[in-house]
Amino acid sequence: SLMTAEEHRFRIEMNYLELEGSKSKDPPSGCQSAVLRIYSEQRIDELCGQQDNVYRFVTTSNWFTLQFLSLLRQSKEPLRGFQLTWT
């Protein structure tokens, strides 16, 4: 968890995401093998699979928690993981 002064907020930006699973494939395989969760006040973002576009948002509170869970690999394809920055 990260916290800043009460009057400040975090800007979170994900430059790339390459994890197992998918929420959009037909049928969706979900995030059973690997998931990145970002918790902030009144918001939970659950990310998995592959995203090419930049994902960003500003928190509504002065804190956020980042949780990454990864189980045994289901596929053999090379995956880069993720790159996330915050300011």
Side-chain angles (χ1 to χ4, degrees):
S1 292
L2 295 169
M3 185 176 279
T4 187
E6 187 67 37
E7 66 276 4
H8 293 163
R9 302 294 177 257
F10 286 98
R11 177 187 167 144
I12 298 173
E13 186 170 303
M14 176 138 358
N15 297 314
Y16 63 83
L17 177 76
E18 282 188 9
L19 303 177
E20 285 192 307
S22 173
K23 289 184 173 183
S24 60
K25 288 183 181 174
D26 186 23
S29 58
C31 299
Q32 294 92 352
S33 297
V35 63
L36 175 65
R37 291 189 184 110
I38 304 170
Y39 299 89
S40 60
E41 190 170 277
Q42 302 174 354
R43 181 178 185 144
I44 299 173
D45 292 78
E46 189 171 83
L47 307 166
C48 68
Q50 298 180 17
Q51 281 186 214
D52 294 327
N53 55 335
V54 174
Y55 168 84
R56 62 174 65 108
F57 74 93
V58 176
T59 62
T60 57
S61 64
N62 67 326
W63 65 271
F64 78 94
T65 299
L66 185 68
Q67 179 185 49
F68 175 65
L69 300 171
S70 179
L71 302 175
L72 293 175
R73 295 272 325 253
Q74 302 296 315
S75 71
K76 301 295 185 206
E77 65 181 307
L79 299 168
R80 296 187 299 167
F82 62 92
Q83 182 183 49
L84 183 132
T85 57
W86 62 85
T87 52

